Amino acid sequence: MARDTGGETELKEILASEIVDKIQKSEPVEYDHVIIKGELNSSKDISCPIKIVNSQFHSKVNFNCLFRGLANFSDTTFKEHADFSQAYFSECAYFKKTNFNMGADFKKANLYKANFAEANFGKLADFRQATFGTPAGRTDFKGATFRDADFRETNFNKVSFKGTNFRFVHFGNAFFGRDADFSKANFSL
C-alpha cells in the first residue's frame, strides 16, 4: 500500500466513500499508510474490525456508531474535527500516538477498553459523560498531551494518566471507580 522513497513513506490516497462502502457491506476495514480524502460519516453499526493506522484523515470524521469489533486508529492524524460522540466500543479501541489536530468529541461515548497513550489533542478533547472501562477494562492516557480537556461527569473504572500533560482540564463530577494513576502528570497554564 505504501511505497518507501528513501526513508520516507509515500502515502496512498483513498476516498472516504471507499471506507463507508466496506462498512455498509460489513467487510473488514484495514488500511495502513493512507491519506483519506473527503468527509467520513458513519452512523451504521460497524460489525467487522476496523484498522486504519499510520494514516491521515484530511476532512471531518463522524463515527457516531457501535463498533462491534476491534477499532484501531493508532499513529493516525485527524487533521480536522473527529467526532466519536455517543459511539460505543464493545471491544478494544486503540488511539495510541494518534493526533487530533482540530479536536475530538467523545461525549457520551462508551469505551470498554481504550488506549490513548501518547495521543495529542491540539484543541478541545470533549469526553463529557463518557464511560471508560468495565471491571476487566483499563483506559490508558499515559504520556498524552491535552491542550483543553473536558472530563466532566465522566465515569472511569481503571485509568492511567501517568506522565500526561494538561494545559486546561475539567474533571468536575467525574467518577473514578477503581485505580486512577496521575503520577508524573503535568498540569500547567
Side-chain angles (χ1 to χ4, degrees):
M1 241 182 230
R3 191 168 52 125
D4 189 359
T5 56
E8 287 189 30
T9 302
E10 185 177 315
L11 303 180
K12 175 185 172 188
E13 290 188 6
I14 65 164
L15 296 175
S17 59
E18 184 178 321
I19 296 169
V20 173
D21 287 344
K22 285 186 175 192
I23 291 169
Q24 290 175 342
K25 294 175 185 174
S26 296
E27 295 175 356
V29 176
E30 193 164 332
Y31 294 96
D32 191 353
H33 288 92
V34 295
I35 293 173
I36 297 105
K37 296 278 192 167
E39 285 193 21
L40 197 156
N41 294 297
S42 181
S43 56
K44 183 183 185 315
D45 291 356
I46 300 174
S47 57
C48 291
I50 183 165
K51 181 180 179 183
I52 302 173
V53 296
N54 304 302
S55 297
Q56 299 174 6
F57 285 92
H58 280 214
S59 299
K60 291 180 181 177
V61 173
N62 295 298
F63 278 112
N64 313 110
C65 58
L66 167 63
F67 290 86
R68 293 185 187 275
L70 177 90
N72 189 347
F73 295 95
S74 295
D75 290 299
T76 292
T77 297
F78 293 88
K79 291 187 175 250
E80 296 296 328
H81 190 261
D83 186 354
F84 291 88
S85 61
Q86 298 185 26
Y88 187 95
F89 296 86
S90 62
E91 291 191 28
C92 296
Y94 293 99
F95 294 92
K96 187 174 182 179
K97 295 184 180 179
T98 299
N99 290 302
F100 297 93
N101 293 356
M102 299 304 289
D105 188 350
F106 285 87
K107 185 173 35 200
K108 295 184 180 180
N110 191 316
L111 297 98
Y112 161 75
K113 183 177 179 183
N115 187 336
F116 288 91
E118 299 179 55
N120 182 37
F121 297 87
K123 294 216 174 191
L124 177 63
D126 189 349
F127 288 96
R128 286 177 292 156
Q129 298 176 337
T131 300
F132 287 98
T134 63
R138 180 169 186 83
T139 303
D140 189 358
F141 285 100
K142 281 187 239 169
T145 300
F146 292 94
R147 182 170 184 244
D148 188 4
D150 194 341
F151 290 99
R152 286 180 284 182
E153 298 181 35
T154 298
N155 290 302
F156 296 98
N157 189 34
K158 294 186 278 187
V159 64
S160 176
F161 286 102
K162 184 177 183 175
T164 299
N165 294 297
F166 297 100
R167 184 165 178 205
F168 300 105
V169 64
H170 307 279
F171 281 105
N173 293 321
F175 177 77
F176 296 91
R178 290 186 65 194
D179 304 333
D181 183 357
F182 283 90
S183 62
K184 299 183 182 178
N186 182 25
F187 297 86
S188 63
L189 296 176

